[in-house]
Amino acid sequence: MPAKDDTSSDKEKCLELFLKIGLDERTAKNTVANNKVTTNLTSVINEAGVTDGCSRTVGNLLYTVATKYPANALPHRPTLLQYIVSSKVKTTAQLDAALSFLGATGSENLDLNKFEEACGVGVEVSTEDIKHAVDEVVEENKATILELRYRVNVGELLGHVRKRLPWADAKVVKQLVDAKLYEILGDRTAADNEKPKKKKEKPAKVEDKAAPVATSEKPLEEDLNPYLIFPNPEDNFKVHTEVPFSDGNILRCSNTKALLEKHLKATGGKVLTRFPPEPNGYLHIGHAKAMFVDFGLAKDRNGGCYLRFDDTNPEAEKKEYIDHIEEIVQWMGWEPFKITYTSNYFQELYEFAVELIRRGHAYVDHQTPDEIKEYREKKLNSPWRDRPISESLKLFEDMKCGLIEEGKATLRMKQDMQSDNYNMYDLIAYRIKFTPHPHAGDKWCIYPSYDYAHCIVDSIENVTHSLCTLEFETRRASYYWLLHALGIYQPYVWEYSRLNVSNTVMSKRKLNRLVTEKWVDGWDDPRLMTLAGLRRRGMTPTAINAFVRGIGITRSDGTLISVERLEYHVREELNKTASRAMVVLHPLKVVITNLEANSAIEVDAKKWPDAQADDASAFYKIPFSNVVYIERSDFRMQDSKDYYGLAPGKSVILRYAFPIKCTEVILADDNETILEIWAEYDPSKKTKPKGVLHWVSQPSPGVDPLKVEVRLFERLFLSENPAELDNWLGDLNPHSKVEISNAYGVSLLKDAKLGDRFQFERLGYFAVDQDSTPEKLVFNRTVTLKDSYGKGGK
């Protein structure tokens, strides 16, 4: 009990300290829950000499230092902190530049003049300077501003100003840009108001649900180059990782000049990364972030990214998964430098294993899995750890030749059983498996482990940046230990936070169970966060990549990103690219009694909200006949002041057509069920009702409109984080999929093809599904027009 009380007391002291430097309570509490960040931030506060408190601005900058400071430049951290405390570095833009400069400098002598120049120390930007830059940017983009009005991308305008004045106060820049737009455009019109509401609503809501963010100027984050944090290949001789051993020795991980020169000669100095999925399942949205990091960095630096299949387990690989991964990578907009397999290097990996034994760094072990687990927990050496090198060489050859039974021997690396890092407890390098390999055939009956293979293959392929998610951070020690033990080139390793999205699960085990137990309709079910599912739902790779870019490449693990943030980016994309059309989900027949049955009036409907009258391609024709259909939910028997639908004696406008007034309601024999509505239309359009309804009409007397099937999707799980529930399957949303088989659509839709996307007016964005046939189209709802999930709407 006393130990627990001490821990609680320490956390309370840390919380008090973090509140003193201006962190909000939520950020402070989340920080205390993370031991690593707590240790870093406490050290930073002490180094900065602000244990008695400081301003919120300084505190936020200190928090950023604690979470993002490059490990290879620790000797220079006190210098940076003095610049922050003295307000010489006072904005996030300056701090980002400082961190980038220090990361490139490493532990070498710091040139203060170059440092100050790199991060704008002493540069004062006046309001007049900002105003002048804003005037220039607005003038250069005036044509676009006048065309799009308040729908113009303000973030791009801010970015242009920032390029001219990188150290300008971001808040002043935003205020002056807004003022300039108002000067040119005047008050917002009704047409202007729709988009800003979306922008205002989504990002703010998502940031609240995301991890605590202790920085100002947040609106500019998505415009920053997320790859600036990574060093250049020629700098990979600097120490950026230290591996402590239980005997007091420290491995300072770095390449020798000779190794680096050999590497640079082979690559021409280009950045080479790798995206290394296991071919044992379908890719999900977390892989979209990994692709953005791996392929994106290579593209940003004019380098290349391997698509490497990590196929070390012969029992798990399937060609179905390989084909899917190659297709999805291409769909997401990425082009592999080369497609390789870990199995391509089985011979080299074997030869390196033999060399590892010869150097005294590996041994053949006969412990069972349970014994290995027990010995690791007790930090005990295997009884076979110190067997003669010649004996291990002979036994490893026997393993390779199939002379030892499966499960009777493994090759283990001789690391550090007394280490504080569990991933240094003599990890397994090779296992015996009498299973032919789908790619390598039956040549091998021993297969390398991930911990052994991936770092060596990174080195063989001359990967410059080995990037992975934070759960692999503790394996960094083993990664560098092995490459150092073999004396081969060491890539730069960096970990980032994995992408966790609300209301779903993304572990392969859970996804596999959902699919195999038929809780969903396959790997591409539109309710899943698999990339195949998102594509089928109608989401675009552009929107997914924008979502990932907006989150950033951070190390703040444990953050749960609201799915609404993804939906925001999807709406932004589809609002610009999806043609408008009208569909009625639950049709209610309306007979226009003052229009002859065999006549129809053609009206023009807009495909795009800003359609110009002289552009015929921006419109489609709809017949306004004496039988039309409206949504059943758009009619009530009892009217009210806050209701804008149709009711007895009330008028509404049919979009693009005429006002109609309900004159009679035809009921079934039960005097409750509404069979049809009778109404009169106003050909003069003098009536000006407030309500505007979407509708579909009979194309000719007695002929039904185009019949389509519509599938409405909601969150797959009711809870934001179902993965943490013991009974996570019990949290499945029973209403996550609703099929409407007899909806009516306008004739514009009859030629729609797989992948076509539309905005069904007043309903949402929809995409043609692969289940469509020539006889009947099927549409999946991608997202609603506005978020109504929390309000119980569909």
Side-chain angles (χ1 to χ4, degrees), residues 522-693:
W523 286 100
D524 64 348
D525 188 302
R527 293 167 291 179
L528 291 177
M529 280 288 162
T530 59
L531 292 174
L534 296 178
R535 175 172 62 177
R536 186 173 179 184
R537 186 158 175 161
M539 295 189 183
T540 66
T542 307
I544 295 169
N545 282 325
F547 163 66
V548 171
R549 184 184 184 90
I551 293 165
I553 309 173
T554 68
R555 287 174 59 83
S556 54
D557 203 20
T559 303
L560 187 67
I561 304 297
S562 172
V563 68
E564 292 172 2
R565 185 166 183 174
L566 170 62
E567 292 171 349
Y568 163 76
H569 286 282
V570 174
R571 287 190 192 93
E572 288 288 283
E573 170 77 9
L574 296 182
N575 186 48
K576 301 169 188 172
T577 60
S579 174
R580 273 54 172 173
M582 291 195 290
V583 167
V584 174
L585 300 181
H586 303 286
L588 176 60
K589 185 177 181 180
V590 179
V591 179
I592 310 299
T593 56
N594 60 335
L595 185 64
E596 293 183 10
N598 59 354
S599 66
I601 304 169
E602 264 196 348
V603 298
D604 288 325
K606 291 181 178 181
K607 292 182 182 178
W608 310 100
D610 54 355
Q612 301 299 309
D614 58 353
D615 181 6
S617 67
F619 295 85
Y620 66 97
K621 302 289 185 182
I622 311 177
F624 177 73
S625 63
N626 82 314
V627 175
V628 301
Y629 295 88
I630 64 172
E631 289 288 356
R632 191 165 287 275
S633 60
D634 280 336
F635 180 82
R636 289 182 188 173
M637 290 298 290
Q638 297 294 325
D639 194 12
S640 62
K641 288 183 179 180
D642 59 349
Y643 174 62
Y644 295 101
L646 192 61
K650 186 177 181 179
S651 296
V652 295
I653 296 177
L654 297 184
R655 188 150 173 76
Y656 306 120
F658 302 93
I660 62 169
K661 181 178 181 178
C662 174
T663 57
E664 193 170 345
V665 180
I666 309 301
L667 299 176
D669 293 340
D670 60 7
N671 283 326
E672 289 184 8
T673 306
I674 301 171
L675 297 178
E676 62 184 56
I677 306 297
W678 289 6
E680 294 182 353
Y681 86 107
D682 175 9
S684 69
K685 298 187 179 181
K686 290 181 179 178
T687 312
K688 303 293 182 184
K690 291 182 178 179
V692 180
L693 308 184

Side-chain angles (χ1 to χ4, degrees), residues 346-402:
F346 275 176
Q347 183 61 40
E348 291 96 325
L349 289 166
Y350 170 76
E351 290 168 3
F352 275 122
V354 171
E355 180 61 25
L356 201 64
I357 298 171
R358 285 198 181 114
R359 294 186 178 202
H361 297 310
Y363 61 96
V364 172
D365 187 33
H366 302 289
Q367 288 184 300
T368 66
D370 287 341
E371 288 170 339
I372 290 175
K373 181 181 178 184
E374 179 187 352
Y375 273 55
R376 279 178 172 162
E377 288 172 351
K378 295 177 179 178
K379 291 191 173 186
L380 296 175
N381 290 343
S382 163
W384 291 278
R385 193 176 200 264
D386 295 318
R387 73 191 327 161
I389 289 174
S390 58
E391 197 174 298
S392 282
L393 286 171
K394 173 66 171 62
L395 288 167
F396 189 50
E397 176 68 17
D398 290 347
M399 288 170 62
K400 174 178 176 288
C401 295

Side-chain angles (χ1 to χ4, degrees), residues 254-268:
S254 64
N255 287 301
T256 63
K257 291 282 187 181
L259 278 174
L260 185 59
E261 285 173 8
K262 181 182 177 183
H263 159 78
L264 293 172
K265 185 177 180 181
T267 63

Side-chain angles (χ1 to χ4, degrees), residues 18-132:
F18 298 162
L19 292 173
K20 278 184 182 179
I21 66 165
L23 297 190
D24 63 82
E25 188 172 355
R26 184 182 176 197
T27 301
K29 286 182 177 179
N30 277 278
T31 302
V32 169
N34 186 319
N35 291 335
K36 184 173 180 180
V37 178
T38 295
T39 301
N40 286 347
L41 184 54
T42 303
S43 297
V44 164
I45 292 170
N46 281 290
E47 282 180 27
V50 293
T51 52
D52 292 329
C54 61
S55 68
R56 177 182 291 269
T57 300
V58 169
N60 285 344
L61 295 177
L62 296 181
Y63 180 91
T64 302
V65 172
T67 55
K68 293 186 177 181
Y69 193 84
N72 65 321
L74 281 175
H76 305 309
R77 191 167 73 177
T79 303
L80 173 60
L81 295 176
Q82 289 311 306
Y83 273 82
I84 292 172
V85 172
S86 61
S87 294
K88 291 180 180 178
V89 171
K90 54 190 175 184
T91 68
T92 54
Q94 284 183 293
L95 181 55
D96 287 339
L99 294 175
S100 178
F101 183 89
L102 293 172
T105 302
S107 58
E108 296 179 357
N109 291 334
L110 179 62
D111 186 325
L112 288 179
N113 290 329
K114 288 183 179 179
F115 171 73
E116 291 185 356
E117 182 183 352
C119 52
V121 172
V123 177
E124 295 296 334
V125 182
S126 69
T127 303
E128 279 303 311
D129 293 333
I130 300 173
K131 188 176 185 303
H132 180 68

